[in-house]
Amino acid sequence: MTDGMPGWAAWGSLAEEELASEAEALLRESLRAPVDRGSVERLLELYGQRYDTLPARIRRIVGEIEVED
């Protein structure tokens, strides 16, 4: 990330769209069978994000993913 630019501003819209796309893929997968909670956590970690800091659109997608503990 660029120094002095917080969160998504430095992160960029392309990376945001990539995260949204991958989250949507996990959501589709979870509709067939719950996915491992760790896979969702790893996805967020890969992009350097936390659930509570996601934009509302992506937070909604991630929140709808069916997970197993």
Side-chain angles (χ1 to χ4, degrees), residues 15-53:
E16 182 179 336
E17 288 305 312
E18 288 176 10
L19 173 57
S21 176
E22 291 190 42
E24 288 169 341
L26 270 178
L27 175 58
R28 285 190 300 274
E29 182 181 334
S30 79
L31 294 176
R32 292 187 296 276
V35 298
D36 177 61
R37 181 178 305 277
S39 61
V40 177
E41 292 168 351
R42 284 187 297 277
L43 176 63
L44 296 179
E45 187 176 301
L46 176 66
Y47 285 91
Q49 299 300 313
R50 294 187 328 262
Y51 180 80
D52 60 337
T53 61

Side-chain angles (χ1 to χ4, degrees), residues 41-69:
E41 292 168 351
R42 284 187 297 277
L43 176 63
L44 296 179
E45 187 176 301
L46 176 66
Y47 285 91
Q49 299 300 313
R50 294 187 328 262
Y51 180 80
D52 60 337
T53 61
L54 291 171
R57 177 177 73 95
I58 298 175
R59 190 176 322 123
R60 180 193 56 77
I61 296 167
V62 171
E64 291 179 9
I65 297 171
E66 293 291 329
V67 297
E68 60 184 19
D69 290 322

